[in-house]
């Protein structure tokens, strides 16, 4: 059925239900003349009169009554379906599927799980941890969490964390044995913990910047990993220098003097974590509640 045909039937049903062209026109947001023209178009298309109209009243013909009897339940079913969908959209219940980085699962979602469940006990969280990029639409996820700069341009992004400064660290024991690098080029003479990129499996070239001068260094060492915890653990045990962005954990180790920062004046800032979802319009209530909870500070 074409849109014009649907509009004609809707206009016809409105006239019958209100027994008045004027009241039906007001309900539909049309002028009385436009509504009359729509009814005439419907009658012409069907080849029969549907309404008998006088200056005082409007009544269906036998054909009109039969047509209304068939279409009225259909319009009611559609109205009920729309109302149910609208009601469900406003309910904070059901299953919410989130695809996230391991780092975000541990640092952002994990500390807020109890708070979210207490506030929304009828929402079931289905959290899938994947460190690679994921198509959340194809995977039927409601939202994803990734590092900024890695998101598709058609996604709506909500910042969860500030940008974070990278930090090159090593154990005091390692630096005592091998010395302290003074510039990124010095890393060629050091053992470094390599980071493997999830996107294409290549080794990350360490990025540095100082006074507008930016440089990249391909490092080498005894370990290659795709997990920040493994790199920090290797640095703690004196295997070499790690370049880390998990500042909460690394800062604690620096404060305990178990790790020492090197090349501090060369470190760069990397984008923080963002939650992203496909559409700005009609965000489900459950997802809105999840976003609000992720933005709250943890005591």
């Amino acid at each position: 059925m074409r849109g014009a045909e649907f509009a004609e039937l809707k206009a016809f049903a409105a006239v019958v239900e209100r027994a008045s062209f004027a009241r039906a026109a007001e309900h539909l947001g049309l002028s009385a003349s436009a509504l009359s023209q729509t009814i005439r178009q419907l009658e012409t298309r069907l080849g029969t009169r549907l309404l008998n109209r006088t200056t005082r009243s409007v009544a269906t013909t036998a054909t009109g009554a039969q047509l209304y009897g068939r279409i009225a339940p259909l319009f009611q079913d559609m109205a009920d379906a729309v109302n149910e969908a609208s009601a469900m959209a406003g309910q904070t219940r059901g299953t919410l599927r989130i695809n996230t980085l391991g780092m975000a699962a541990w640092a952002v979602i994990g500390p807020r799980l109890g708070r979210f469940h207490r506030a929304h006990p009828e929402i079931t969280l289905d959290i899938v941890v994947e460190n690679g990029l994921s198509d959340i639409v194809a995977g039927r996820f409601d939202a994803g969490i990734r590092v900024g700069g890695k998101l598709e341009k058609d996604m709506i992004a909500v910042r969860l964390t500030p940008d974070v400064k990278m930090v090159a660290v090593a154990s005091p024991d390692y630096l005592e044995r091998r010395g302290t690098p003074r510039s990124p080029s010095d890393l060629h003479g050091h053992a470094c913990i390599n980071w493997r990129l999830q996107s294409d499996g290549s080794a990350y070239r360490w990025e540095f910047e100082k006074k507008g001068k930016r440089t990249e260094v391909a490092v080498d060492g005894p370990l290659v990993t795709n997990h920040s915890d493994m790199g920090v653990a290797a640095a703690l045990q004196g295997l070499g220098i790690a370049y880390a962005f998990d500042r909460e954990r690394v800062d604690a180790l620096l404060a305990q003097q178990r790790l020492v920062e090197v090349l501090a004046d060369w470190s760069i800032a990397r984008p923080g974590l963002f939650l992203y979802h496909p559409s700005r319009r009609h965000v489900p209530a459950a997802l809105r509640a999840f976003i609000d909870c992720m933005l709250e500070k943890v005591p």
Side-chain angles (χ1 to χ4, degrees), residues 118-157:
R118 287 189 294 273
H120 308 285
E122 295 186 333
I123 296 178
T124 299
L125 289 178
D126 183 352
I127 299 174
V128 175
V129 177
E130 292 182 330
N131 285 327
L133 293 176
S134 178
D135 185 339
I136 62 172
V137 175
R140 301 181 67 83
F141 291 98
D142 295 288
I145 300 177
R146 288 295 183 277
V147 173
K150 299 292 186 181
L151 309 181
E152 296 293 336
K153 296 187 182 300
D154 59 348
M155 290 289 159
I156 306 303

Side-chain angles (χ1 to χ4, degrees), residues 30 35 50 68 73 82 99 130 133 151 155 164 180-181 183 196 215-216 236-237 252 264 279:
L30 300 173
L35 178 58
L50 301 173
Y68 177 76
V82 170
N99 186 290
E130 292 182 330
L133 293 176
L151 309 181
M155 290 289 159
V164 61
T180 301
S183 70
R196 189 174 302 284
T215 185
E216 295 182 2
L236 277 171
Q237 296 173 55
S279 175

Side-chain angles (χ1 to χ4, degrees), residues 1-12 30 37-43 45 75:
M1 179 182 295
R2 295 176 300 177
E5 296 171 352
F6 180 84
E8 291 169 357
L9 291 173
K10 186 176 181 180
F12 167 69
L30 300 173
Q37 177 64 25
T38 298
I39 298 300
R40 284 196 295 271
Q41 290 173 349
L42 175 61
E43 291 176 330
R45 181 165 60 82
F75 279 119

Side-chain angles (χ1 to χ4, degrees), residues 84-106:
E84 288 175 9
S86 178
M88 288 181 64
Q91 293 175 347
T92 52
R93 64 177 59 182
T95 298
L96 191 66
R97 301 194 71 224
I98 306 295
N99 186 290
T100 179
L101 288 171
M103 174 179 61
W106 175 79

Side-chain angles (χ1 to χ4, degrees), residues 42-283:
L42 175 61
E43 291 176 330
T44 298
R45 181 165 60 82
L46 298 180
T48 185
R49 178 178 289 277
L50 301 173
L51 296 170
N52 289 320
R53 180 182 184 185
T54 69
T55 56
R56 289 189 171 186
S57 63
V58 177
T60 58
T61 64
T63 302
Q66 183 182 28
L67 176 62
Y68 177 76
R70 293 293 300 274
I71 66 173
L74 301 179
F75 279 119
Q76 186 59 53
D77 285 346
M78 285 188 286
D80 291 343
V82 170
N83 290 335
E84 288 175 9
S86 178
M88 288 181 64
Q91 293 175 347
T92 52
R93 64 177 59 182
T95 298
L96 191 66
R97 301 194 71 224
I98 306 295
N99 186 290
T100 179
L101 288 171
M103 174 179 61
W106 175 79
V108 178
I109 300 177
R112 295 168 173 82
L113 284 175
R115 175 187 298 177
F116 183 80
H117 177 69
R118 287 189 294 273
H120 308 285
E122 295 186 333
I123 296 178
T124 299
L125 289 178
D126 183 352
I127 299 174
V128 175
V129 177
E130 292 182 330
N131 285 327
L133 293 176
S134 178
D135 185 339
I136 62 172
V137 175
R140 301 181 67 83
F141 291 98
D142 295 288
I145 300 177
R146 288 295 183 277
V147 173
K150 299 292 186 181
L151 309 181
E152 296 293 336
K153 296 187 182 300
D154 59 348
M155 290 289 159
I156 306 303
V158 179
R159 178 184 283 275
L160 298 178
T161 65
D163 291 349
V164 61
K165 185 181 178 182
M166 299 284 288
V167 55
V169 294
S171 69
D173 172 68
Y174 173 86
L175 296 176
E176 184 177 346
R177 288 185 287 109
R178 300 290 299 269
T180 301
R182 302 300 177 185
S183 70
S185 61
D186 292 344
L187 293 173
H188 293 302
H190 281 267
C192 296
I193 313 304
N194 245 323
W195 174 266
R196 189 174 302 284
L197 298 176
Q198 294 281 354
S199 56
D200 59 8
S202 63
Y204 168 62
R205 293 174 62 89
W206 292 13
E207 301 169 275
F208 297 95
E209 185 173 3
K210 181 178 181 180
K211 297 180 180 179
K213 179 183 178 181
R214 195 174 185 89
T215 185
E216 295 182 2
V217 180
V219 298
D220 193 18
L223 176 67
V224 181
T225 180
N226 66 351
H227 200 284
S228 60
D229 287 353
M230 187 69 67
V232 173
L236 277 171
Q237 296 173 55
L239 272 69
I241 301 172
Y243 204 25
F245 52 82
D246 185 355
R247 290 305 300 256
E248 184 173 349
R249 182 182 181 198
V250 171
D251 285 350
L253 294 170
L254 291 172
Q256 297 165 13
Q257 298 183 344
R258 297 178 64 191
L259 288 177
V260 177
E261 182 175 4
V262 299
L263 302 175
D265 53 347
W266 281 92
S267 293
I268 64 169
R270 301 297 296 171
L273 295 170
F274 287 77
L275 180 144
Y276 62 102
H277 57 92
S279 175
R280 188 186 300 275
R281 297 182 60 195
H282 309 305
V283 177

